[in-house]
Amino acid sequence: EAQVTQNPRYLITVTGKKLTVTCSQNMNHEYMSWYRQDPGLGLRQIYYSMNVEVTDKGDVPEGYKVSRKEKRNFPLILESPSPNQTSLYFCASSPYGPDNTYEQYFGPGTRLTVT
Amino acid sequence: EDQVTQSPEALRLQEGESSSLNCSYTVSGLRGLFWYRQDPGKGPEFLFTLYSAGEEKEKERLKATLTKKESFLHITAPKPEDSATYLCAVQNDYKLSFGAGTTVTVRA
């Protein structure tokens, strides 16, 4: 089954404890991206990757890191989480569409709580 | 900075009562405008891509249209299963910007 998987789905952690949220896709997509979703603010792009070893910042990259060493995986790293990073996180992947547009397939989400 | 504004925030409809959702945008170079559907507790699901003003796309009871400043998602004769949050997004180069969404509730 074609899908984007994220782990863990739920995570409660404490301020300053490093964590990684994994994202994997089995569709051989070039483009991958991370978003956070907060009430009233919608989805905001954190980082994106156009291909292996090529990543760039989205609108809210502060406090996050990413790496793209393999096409299928795009982990999100929080080196020192803070309470304002409590949110619902989505990973997405996309093939290249017409004019390099991205019709994204989203994962099921990771609900993160930082206390 | 790219901006996407969706209205209304919430829409309550009777089954069969057609309506429209609005997505206003400002973007320096539009590659595409996207509509997604999101059910509670799930990731967004892709519906449509629109590339240029005047373009229209349809899927079942949904029809999306695009002008140079806004897009509309028309829901014709909605059913309860159309209840969801509908998200609009624009792509500028490699970046995407989403609106906050319109939550549609369709009562039987």
Side-chain angles (χ1 to χ4, degrees):
Chain A
E1 180 189 355
Q3 60 183 347
V4 177
T5 56
Q6 296 179 227
N7 283 292
R9 295 288 315 279
Y10 303 92
L11 180 60
I12 300 173
T13 190
V14 296
T15 299
K17 186 177 180 182
K18 181 179 179 180
L19 67 91
T20 299
V21 183
T22 65
C23 173
S24 184
Q25 51 97 1
N26 62 1
M27 296 169 280
N28 201 37
H29 289 165
E30 303 285 346
Y31 185 90
M32 296 186 74
S33 184
W34 275 102
Y35 297 87
R36 61 177 291 172
Q37 188 172 37
D38 302 289
L41 296 177
L43 281 161
R44 292 181 291 168
Q45 194 171 38
I46 303 171
Y47 270 95
Y48 59 92
S49 170
M50 292 81 79
N51 209 330
V52 176
E53 301 291 2
V54 182
T55 63
D56 206 348
K57 297 176 182 178
D59 290 326
V60 289
E62 295 77 19
Y64 305 94
K65 286 177 60 177
V66 293
S67 68
R68 186 98 180 268
K69 293 183 169 56
E70 307 168 274
K71 184 185 271 192
R72 65 182 290 127
N73 296 322
F74 191 42
L76 179 69
I77 303 159
L78 285 72
E79 296 255 348
S80 183
S82 63
N84 64 11
Q85 292 178 298
T86 292
S87 188
L88 179 58
Y89 291 86
F90 288 101
C91 179
S93 72
S94 173
Y96 283 123
D99 196 26
N100 284 337
T101 51
Y102 305 122
E103 299 175 359
Q104 297 179 96
Y105 294 79
F106 282 81
T110 295
R111 186 165 292 281
L112 172 65
T113 302
V114 183
T115 61
Chain B
E1 184 179 319
D2 302 335
Q3 285 197 324
V4 181
T5 304
Q6 291 188 246
S7 63
E9 289 186 18
L11 189 60
R12 293 176 64 86
L13 301 172
Q14 206 55 42
E15 185 172 4
E17 177 188 2
S18 301
S19 189
S20 295
L21 285 56
N22 178 263
C23 171
S24 299
Y25 65 91
T26 55
V27 60
S28 55
L30 181 71
R31 279 186 187 262
L33 183 141
F34 308 88
W35 282 98
Y36 289 85
R37 169 191 172 124
Q38 186 174 24
D39 293 307
K42 295 191 174 182
E45 176 185 346
F46 170 76
L47 292 172
F48 304 108
T49 306
L50 301 167
Y51 299 95
S52 58
E55 189 174 2
E56 298 182 351
K57 288 201 175 165
E58 287 188 67
K59 181 179 180 178
E60 295 181 358
R61 295 175 293 282
L62 301 176
K63 179 180 177 180
T65 62
L66 181 65
T67 72
K68 288 188 177 180
K69 293 185 178 181
E70 57 191 350
S71 176
F72 293 92
L73 184 66
H74 308 278
I75 309 178
T76 302
K79 298 182 178 182
E81 53 261 43
D82 294 322
S83 296
T85 297
Y86 291 88
L87 304 173
C88 171
V90 296
Q91 181 180 336
N92 176 6
D93 205 4
Y94 296 106
K95 292 178 64 174
L96 289 106
S97 301
F98 280 77
T102 294
T103 299
V104 175
T105 305
V106 183
R107 295 165 291 175

